[in-house]
């Protein structure tokens, strides 16, 4: 799960990770009041969307007086912010973060995430802060320092010190840097985060070490033990069809192709999307109906897929192992009667009771294109979208 | 022959009295798996033969702990159907009881729990398959997991996959062509798993009864690349490989927690490239896995036969040459060394 920057900073503050003084604002007036409450003479107005690259897209601006806070806020609030992570359609800005300005001396990078290669959490630091860290990793990997964290013992002080020496910190900045990293790891572990990324991490002229930005993602599997984080979910940032699907316990991801698909199992769903592409179409979605595909889930799946106006055909691919194909077929027939279907439906059911299922589909009086293998299904999809 | 599970497997089911545990225990017993015990804390000392919906063919002894099941029933493999919140604990209990293999079916275990479990298993030296996986099956002998038994057929192809239903699809394509499997392993779709591609590939490579290997990967991580590197160096058996998720966009989790392209890494294109470099027969369509393996087996058989016949022919010509030489040598000098050499041959 993703959250906004201001929410990430709220969490970090709880774990004694230094962050700038700031307030969230949902309107221009609130933004002005926030700036007044924060005080000082320089503020930063930051768009809050679930995507990176906001500065380049014009979503982060400096204000040197209250009038400028008002101006910048009204420019950013409601704008369609396009960054390299939002896609060309961008995202509408509905929340702002107003923060105090900083005397920045240095911009660094620190991030914590799971390293799958060795099944341990890794903390990474780099002197190349404020830029795309993927680029640094690809072009100058020697500039990324890495420490693996022992799963039982947590991050050790000497590891944080190694990183801070590596970053060239001295004096107060070094001491504060070590404290920062220790606290950041605590926050990461205690919240079951899957990513805690501070880019940039700034060293101020006063020697303070502060998280100027904060990106935190959380492990969906662990959310059940963090109700306070679940509350931070912002449905505005998610695709409405995906939100609807999650209500029916369907795992749906909207894509921009023309062939909808409904599959049981994530791997087979991805494989089916690949088949669609090889057949000359493009998948309109990822949809895993899970292990218990029945009439309700199939109907909910149909409704969601067909709401996407780009869909020209639908491919249903179910491999019945524990799930019986005849039950799925009955579900498909019932669902098709309840939902108005105007595009060709290719169905491939294999495994347990597949022959019974084929009979049910054939005798339903509905016009399904029944495929008897994955290869046959691909060919039928090609024909369906060409017609 | 097979790997990890066979006729000698003595299985203990952790979470046997739960809905999932009951349903799949019944299926496993019917397949012929030797289920020797169940574990449900608090229900030890009873016999369990299923619920109203699913009745076992024979009752199973239930114990409070895995250690008891190991001590009393000599259980050597454990399968876990315990809910996600308690699964990490159940895995560590099984490892502590020194079973030789743990198969974790449970889906949705927090990654941080698994990081700790992984370390624990390393220290204990116990192998785990999963979590979030269909399990492992040696057709005709032993099924430990949730895969439908009937789609399998005993034979000589080893199959490793990160997904469930896609594995069934591939197995079905083989069985329909009359090609049997030595063992099929679903290693699971999570970021932290006990047995990786490379581990399973090593086992299949060492198993004389496995003649070819199928690897079904997914986007995300670099486990497929790691295995490809190993195959390039050490594996002579033919390998067929597929990667699901060629059309997946970056930054989106495609169902499995581990199936996500992040920071431009873990794309299908990269993995296919690594496969090709390692000499793995790449299949771009999941519909063609069985067909490709069949072709590869035929050509590799032809290659093998051609090699053998070439070798035979070579040997014959060498022999012929040597006999000529020998005759000449014999004619020239009658030294005993030449005779010795020919004896050796």
């Amino acid at each position: 799960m993703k959250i906004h920057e201001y929410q990430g900073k709220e969490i970090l503050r709880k774990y004694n990770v230094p962050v700038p003084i700031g307030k969230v604002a949902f309107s221009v007036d609130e933004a002005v009041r926030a700036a007044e409450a924060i005080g000082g003479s320089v503020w930063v107005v930051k768009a809050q969307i679930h995507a990176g690259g906001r500065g380049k897209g014009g979503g982060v601006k400096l204000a040197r007086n209250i009038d400028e806070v008002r101006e910048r806020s009204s420019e950013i609030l409601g704008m369609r912010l396009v960054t390299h992570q939002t896609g060309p359609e961008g995202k509408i800005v509905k929340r702002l973060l107003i923060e105090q300005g900083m005397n920045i001396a240095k911009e660094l990078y620190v991030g914590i995430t799971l390293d799958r290669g060795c099944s341990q959490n890794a903390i990474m630091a780099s002197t190349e802060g404020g830029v795309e860290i993927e680029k640094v990793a690809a072009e100058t990997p020697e500039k990324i320092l890495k420490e693996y964290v022992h799963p039982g013992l947590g991050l050790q002080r000497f590891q944080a010190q190694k990183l801070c020496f590596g970053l060239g910190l001295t004096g107060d900045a070094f001491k504060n840097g070590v404290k920062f990293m220790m606290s950041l790891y605590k926050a990461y572990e205690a919240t079951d985060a899957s990513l805690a990324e501070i880019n940039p991490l700034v060293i101020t002229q006063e020697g303070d070490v502060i998280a100027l930005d904060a990106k935190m993602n959380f492990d969906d599997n662990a959310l059940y033990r963090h109700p306070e984080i679940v509350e931070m979910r912002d449905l505005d940032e998610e695709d409405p069809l995906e939100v609807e699907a999650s209500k029916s316990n369907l795992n749906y991801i909207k894509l921009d192709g023309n062939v909808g698909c409904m599959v049981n199992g994530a791997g087979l769903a991805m494989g089916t999307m690949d088949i669609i592409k090889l057949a000359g179409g493009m998948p309109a979605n990822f949809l895993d109906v899970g292990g218990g595909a029945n009439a309700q889930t199939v109907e909910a799946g149909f409704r969601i897929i067909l709401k996407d106006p780009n869909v020209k055909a639908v491919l249903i691919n179910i491999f019945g192992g524990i799930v019986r194909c005849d039950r799925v077929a009955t579900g498909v027939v019932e669902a098709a009667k309840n939902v108005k279907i105007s595009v060709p439906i290719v169905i491939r059911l294999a495994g347990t009771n597949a022959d019974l299922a084929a009979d049910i589909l054939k005798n339903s009086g509905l016009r399904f294109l029944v495929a008897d293998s994955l290869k046959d299904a691909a060919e039928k999809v090609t024909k369906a979208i060409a017609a | 022959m097979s790997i990890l599970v066979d006729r000698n497997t003595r299985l203990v089911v952790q979470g046997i009295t739960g809905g999932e545990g009951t349903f799949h225990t019944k299926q496993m017993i019917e397949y012929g798996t030797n289920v020797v015990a169940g574990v449900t804390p608090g229900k030890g000392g009873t016999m369990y033969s299923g619920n109203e919906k699913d009745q076992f063919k024979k009752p199973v002894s239930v114990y409070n702990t895995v250690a008891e099941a190991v001590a009393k029933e000599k259980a050597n493999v454990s399968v876990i159907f315990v809910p996600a919140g308690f699964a990490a604990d159940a895995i560590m209990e099984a490892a502590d009881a020194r079973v030789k293999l743990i198969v974790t079916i449970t889906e949705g275990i927090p990654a941080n729990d698994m990081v700790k479990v992984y370390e624990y298993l390393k220290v204990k030296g116990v192998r785990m398959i999963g979590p979030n996986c269909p399990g492992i099956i040696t057709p005709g002998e032993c099924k430990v997991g949730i895969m439908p038994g009937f789609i399998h057929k005993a034979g000589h192809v080893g199959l490793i996959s990160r997904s469930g239903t896609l594995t069934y699809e591939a197995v079905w394509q083989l069985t329909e062509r009359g090609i049997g499997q030595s063992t099929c392993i679903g290693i699971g779709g999570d970021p932290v798993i006990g047995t990786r591609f490379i581990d399973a590939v090593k086992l299949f490579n060492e198993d004389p009864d496995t003649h070819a290997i199928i690897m079904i990967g997914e986007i995300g991580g670099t486990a497929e690349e790691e295995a490809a590197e190993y195959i390039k160096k050490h594996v002579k058996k033919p390998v067929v490989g597929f990667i699901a998720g060629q059309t997946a966009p970056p930054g989106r989790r495609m169902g499995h927690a581990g199936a996500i392209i992040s920071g431009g890494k873990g794309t299908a294109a990269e993995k296919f490239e690594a496969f090709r470099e390692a000499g793995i027969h790449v299949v771009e369509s999941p519909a063609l896995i069985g067909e490709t393996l069949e072709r590869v087996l035929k050509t590799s058989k032809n290659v093998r036969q051609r090699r053998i016949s070439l070798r035979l022919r070579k040997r014959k010509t060498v022999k012929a040459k040597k006999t000529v030489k020998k005759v000449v040598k014999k004619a020239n000098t009658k030294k005993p060394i030449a005779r010795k050499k020919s004896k050796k041959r």
Side-chain angles (χ1 to χ4, degrees):
Chain A
M1 190 188 113
K2 291 179 181 177
I3 57 171
H4 287 293
E5 174 195 0
Y6 78 92
Q7 295 166 322
K9 284 177 170 170
E10 273 168 28
I11 292 173
L12 292 180
R13 202 175 283 131
K14 262 190 228 159
Y15 290 90
N16 298 319
V17 179
V19 295
I21 299 170
K23 272 191 166 168
V24 65
F26 294 83
S27 69
V28 176
D29 286 341
E30 262 187 286
V32 169
R33 277 202 298 279
E36 282 165 353
I38 291 164
S41 56
V42 183
W43 297 270
V44 187
V45 180
K46 302 180 90 175
Q48 299 293 289
I49 57 167
H50 285 185
R54 291 167 299 164
K56 267 188 203 159
V60 179
K61 280 178 179 161
L62 213 64
R64 297 189 183 278
N65 55 51
I66 292 292
D67 285 341
E68 275 187 24
V69 170
R70 186 179 293 281
E71 268 173 48
R72 301 293 164 261
S73 297
S74 49
E75 281 164 26
I76 297 173
L77 200 65
M79 81 184 278
R80 186 176 288 276
L81 186 52
V82 180
T83 82
H84 67 280
Q85 286 185 4
T86 58
E89 70 281 4
K91 266 184 179 163
I92 305 280
V93 180
K94 293 182 175 169
R95 305 175 187 202
L96 295 174
L97 173 62
I98 312 299
E99 272 185 352
Q100 64 177 148
M102 294 273 149
N103 287 323
I104 299 169
K106 246 188 212 170
E107 292 197 354
L108 309 169
Y109 169 94
V110 59
I112 308 174
T113 191
L114 173 68
D115 186 311
R116 294 168 58 158
C118 60
S119 298
Q120 287 188 345
N121 288 311
I123 176 163
M124 290 162 291
S126 173
T127 50
E128 307 301 295
V131 291
E132 274 175 62
I133 201 68
E134 288 89 356
K135 234 181 178 177
V136 181
E139 287 165 9
T140 47
E142 71 281 0
K143 283 191 175 162
I144 293 184
L145 313 167
K146 211 175 200 180
E147 287 291 321
Y148 292 99
V149 183
H150 187 282
L153 305 174
L155 182 69
Q156 299 300 302
R157 176 164 291 272
F158 80 88
Q159 295 182 296
Q161 285 176 346
K162 243 164 111 182
L163 292 174
C164 290
F165 280 126
L167 290 174
L169 301 185
T170 53
D172 282 348
F174 176 81
K175 277 186 218 156
N176 292 332
V178 171
K179 244 191 259 170
F180 186 99
M181 295 204 184
M182 298 298 286
S183 308
L184 183 67
Y185 185 77
K186 258 190 208 129
Y188 171 87
E189 202 180 23
T191 56
D192 278 306
S194 55
L195 175 74
E197 191 176 63
I198 312 298
N199 190 18
L201 167 74
V202 301
I203 313 296
T204 65
Q205 272 149 13
E206 298 80 25
D208 290 327
V209 176
I210 295 176
L212 199 64
D213 194 5
K215 185 173 171 190
M216 289 194 86
N217 294 350
F218 300 93
D219 177 6
D220 292 344
N221 289 347
L223 285 176
Y224 73 91
R225 51 192 182 202
H226 301 287
E228 75 289 354
I229 291 168
V230 176
E231 264 174 38
M232 293 182 170
R233 188 172 172 195
D234 181 2
L235 295 181
D236 280 347
E237 291 289 325
E238 294 172 33
D239 187 279
L241 284 180
E242 290 178 19
V243 174
E244 193 187 325
S246 71
K247 281 179 195 151
S248 314
N249 280 324
L250 293 173
N251 196 341
Y252 171 90
I253 292 170
K254 192 179 171 321
L255 302 167
D256 42 18
N258 54 0
V259 181
C261 54
M262 194 179 334
V263 190
N264 67 333
L268 191 58
M270 277 189 274
T272 306
M273 287 159 54
D274 296 340
I275 287 249
I276 290 170
K277 193 186 174 194
L278 293 167
M282 274 306 273
N285 66 279
F286 166 93
L287 175 57
D288 174 9
V289 293
N294 56 32
Q296 283 86 15
T297 48
V298 171
E299 187 175 329
F302 263 133
R303 284 188 196 281
I304 288 158
I305 290 175
L306 295 172
K307 267 189 194 161
D308 178 353
N310 298 328
V311 169
K312 299 281 173 287
V314 177
L315 169 57
I316 299 176
N317 184 17
I318 305 284
F319 198 101
I322 307 307
V323 176
R324 283 166 40 195
C325 287
D326 52 331
R327 277 213 201 136
V328 177
T330 315
V332 169
V333 171
E334 270 177 48
K337 281 176 185 159
N338 294 335
V339 185
K340 207 181 134 251
I341 296 172
S342 49
V343 297
I345 309 277
V346 180
I347 305 184
R348 185 272 180 143
L349 299 170
T352 316
N353 293 354
D355 27 350
L356 284 180
D359 288 342
I360 293 170
L361 293 176
K362 266 174 202 146
N363 300 333
S364 67
L366 295 159
R367 282 185 30 229
F368 296 119
L369 301 164
V370 180
D372 53 18
S373 72
L374 209 45
K375 204 176 163 186
D376 187 27
E379 282 158 11
K380 290 210 157 79
V381 167
T382 309
K383 263 189 218 153
I385 47 178
Chain B
M1 277 281 288
S2 55
I3 65 168
L4 299 173
V5 296
D6 55 27
R7 278 194 190 90
N8 303 317
T9 295
R10 297 177 65 81
L11 186 69
V12 50
V13 181
Q14 289 177 259
I16 191 168
T17 52
E20 291 276 301
T22 304
F23 178 79
H24 291 293
T25 301
K26 174 188 150 95
Q27 304 282 330
M28 289 189 286
I29 292 172
E30 276 167 16
Y31 192 77
T33 306
N34 189 12
V35 179
V36 296
V39 169
T40 299
K43 290 190 181 162
T46 58
M47 294 297 282
Y48 185 64
S49 51
N51 53 27
E52 299 121 46
K53 223 173 71 203
D54 301 301
Q55 284 285 318
F56 302 169
K57 270 204 305 207
K58 56 158 198 161
V60 177
S61 311
V62 179
Y63 296 91
N64 281 326
T65 65
V66 181
E68 275 178 276
V70 170
K72 302 224 170 97
E73 306 288 350
K74 296 193 176 64
N76 53 17
V77 175
S78 166
V79 64
I80 295 180
F81 290 101
V82 172
F86 308 95
D89 193 56
I91 297 167
M92 291 191 274
E93 187 192 343
D96 187 56
R98 302 275 165 176
V99 294
K100 74 173 177 38
L101 175 71
I102 302 167
V103 180
T104 308
I105 307 300
T106 309
E107 182 181 349
I109 305 176
N112 265 340
D113 292 7
M114 283 314 302
V115 166
K116 293 194 171 80
V117 165
Y118 189 86
E119 178 71 21
Y120 192 85
L121 292 170
K122 213 163 59 181
V123 172
K124 292 278 178 189
V126 177
R127 179 189 296 282
M128 179 177 73
I129 294 174
N132 189 13
C133 77
I136 174 168
I137 183 168
T138 292
E141 296 192 27
C142 181
K143 164 178 128 114
V144 180
I146 59 173
M147 64 290 274
F150 76 94
I151 61 171
H152 299 83
K153 175 184 158 71
H156 304 286
V157 175
L159 197 146
I160 321 156
S161 166
R162 256 163 85 177
S163 86
T165 42
L166 185 54
T167 315
Y168 310 160
E169 172 70 44
V171 168
W172 189 234
Q173 285 179 24
L174 293 178
T175 300
E176 272 192 316
R177 286 184 163 70
I179 304 170
Q181 306 93 43
S182 52
T183 299
C184 304
I185 311 180
I187 58 174
D190 277 5
V192 179
I193 53 173
T195 298
R196 300 180 198 199
F197 276 117
I198 187 166
D199 307 317
V201 166
K202 278 181 196 169
L203 293 171
F204 278 131
N205 197 34
E206 286 156 13
D207 174 33
D209 224 28
T210 297
H211 300 168
I213 302 169
I214 296 184
M215 264 176 71
I216 301 174
E218 277 177 11
I219 51 158
T222 52
E224 287 85 355
E225 287 90 328
E226 201 181 278
E229 193 62 32
Y230 182 85
I231 289 168
K232 194 175 169 183
K233 284 187 191 138
H234 304 286
V235 179
K236 299 271 185 309
K237 297 175 185 182
V239 182
V240 169
F242 170 71
I243 302 289
Q246 297 162 58
T247 50
R252 300 303 308 267
R253 167 184 162 167
M254 306 307 276
H256 289 156
I260 180 164
I261 301 168
S262 53
K265 281 268 161 204
T267 63
E270 279 176 324
K271 289 173 190 290
F272 274 129
E273 190 48 43
F275 276 7
R276 283 196 186 95
E277 251 174 52
I280 296 171
H281 302 271
V282 166
V283 195
E284 283 184 355
S285 162
L288 302 177
I289 297 172
E291 209 174 298
T292 308
L293 187 98
E294 193 173 33
R295 203 186 58 230
V296 167
L297 274 182
K298 264 184 202 152
T299 50
S300 78
K301 210 183 269 170
N302 288 344
V303 168
R304 216 182 308 147
Q305 269 166 358
R306 215 179 306 141
R307 265 196 213 134
I308 292 167
S309 60
L310 264 178
R311 223 178 294 149
L312 283 176
R313 215 181 303 152
K314 228 182 187 176
R315 215 178 279 162
K316 268 183 202 160
T317 49
V318 169
K319 233 183 195 173
K321 267 186 197 163
K322 278 191 180 163
T323 14
V324 171
K325 258 188 195 167
K326 217 159 61 185
V327 171
V328 175
K329 262 188 180 173
K330 262 186 187 173
N332 289 342
T333 52
K334 286 181 179 175
K335 275 182 184 172
I337 302 158
R339 221 163 27 226
K340 246 187 196 170
K341 258 188 186 168
S342 69
K343 244 185 195 170
K344 246 186 193 170
R345 221 175 25 238

